[in-house]
Amino acid sequence: MSDLEAKVSAGWNRLASTLVQGGRADVRESGTLVNLPVTRGSTVLFPSLEAMNRMDGRSHSHKAVYGAMGTPVQHELEKLLSLIEGGTHTQVVNSGLSACTTPLLAFLGQGDHLLLPDSVYGPTRRFADTMLKRMGISTTYYAPMATRAEIEGLTRAETRIILAESPGSHTFEVQDVPMLADVAHQADALLFLDNTWGIGVFQPFEHGVDVSIQALTKYPGGHSDVIIGSITVNDETHWKTLRDASIQLGQCASPDDCWLTLRGLRTMGVRLTHQSRSALEIAQWLKTRPEVARVLHPALQDCPGHEFWKRDFTGACGLFGVELQPDISVEAAERMIDGLSMFGIGASWGGYESLVLPTTGHVRRVTEAGVPKAATFRLHIGLESVDDLKADLARGLDGLRQADQ
Ligand SMILES: *Cc1c(COP(=O)(O)O)cnc(C)c1O
């Protein structure tokens, strides 16, 4: 195994025991099932009014007075996520997008200012541009590769949150998270991180993050059959703010979806060990192809911010980008994508199956620098045989220049 192959999968190995044994009964507990059963419910019954009144309806603990506060399987899932992210408390919510919007609503108020990277997940951008704007919260976009001085230049007295997404899920810039955390804290602001790509192999709180966001829909669910998200913090004050807002907004997740996600997490280590190595092998092979200009995989030198990946990450996942040579037309690239037979065409990623999505011409507000003008697409590498996936891509790439003639 090459050093790089070892590095992309090292973090998954480190996490393996936690994924199997965290968030469930002790292995020596007598008479319990290995897995918690799904418990569905709204009403919680009490023996007396006095007993009911003793329970705090806004409880920051997980004591349930109503199903909306979460069911046992949701709380087990939350415990396991806190372990994976290295935080103290996790709130599970009904989608990855809710995991982005809920903490923004929890921590921002009228007149506040937010910094978003230009590479941010599209629906988070739309939320800031529409709902937050209507609430009197302003947003400035920054280049994902901006220097400390540039970020400092954009912060104002009203700046409450800097959000990072590393790497960007379409353009793959790996961000200097410790630097962003430092700038945020100097300005009395918080650093939020959408850590969906880095789950398990980027420890947010070790690098100064205050609020870590996950689309659990991706690798934790792992089978393209749930929509779910989580928000993790490592501070009691932040937890109270987040928990209060989550309850006020009615945030919780279906017990069945929590159960499926917990089941998915049990095998995430082996899936990702395999998928990270397959993805690296395919990324390295793509780099040798004459039709390919750059492979935007954080573990490879071509990727903006590769040095931060090397410094801060203990692994990689199976999602990366490909930029074709400038003489290849967008139409030819689209025909190639249509012609692939092993890769599904569709949004999302993180399941057991391979996917492809065109990413040409991503929306930008600030710098266009570093954003390819040429045709680009994103690959998610699943659990299929690497040889089959390569053969499919080779057929597609072989046809590209013929298609243009
Ligand atoms: C998918 C995704 C989300 C949203 O997750 P959903 O569960 O689909 O709502 C948020 N952030 C990133 C980076 C994502 O990839």
Side-chain angles (χ1 to χ4, degrees), residues 187-234:
D188 260 337
L190 300 176
L191 183 71
F192 282 26
L193 173 70
D194 186 331
N195 194 29
T196 302
W197 193 95
I199 186 171
V201 294
F202 183 87
Q203 285 294 297
F205 305 106
E206 281 178 16
H207 295 99
V209 171
D210 298 293
V211 174
S212 182
I213 291 159
Q214 285 292 336
L216 303 177
T217 306
K218 308 294 160 57
Y219 289 109
H223 296 74
S224 305
D225 52 9
V226 286
I227 303 265
I228 189 164
S230 70
I231 309 133
T232 301
V233 294
N234 73 336

Side-chain angles (χ1 to χ4, degrees), residues 136-166:
I137 296 157
S138 60
T139 301
T140 302
Y141 289 89
Y142 68 93
M145 293 285 96
T147 63
R148 172 186 285 269
E150 286 166 338
I151 301 285
E152 282 171 348
L154 295 174
T155 58
R156 311 178 193 156
E158 307 79 44
T159 306
R160 280 282 292 145
I161 294 169
I162 300 179
L163 188 139
E165 188 175 309
S166 175

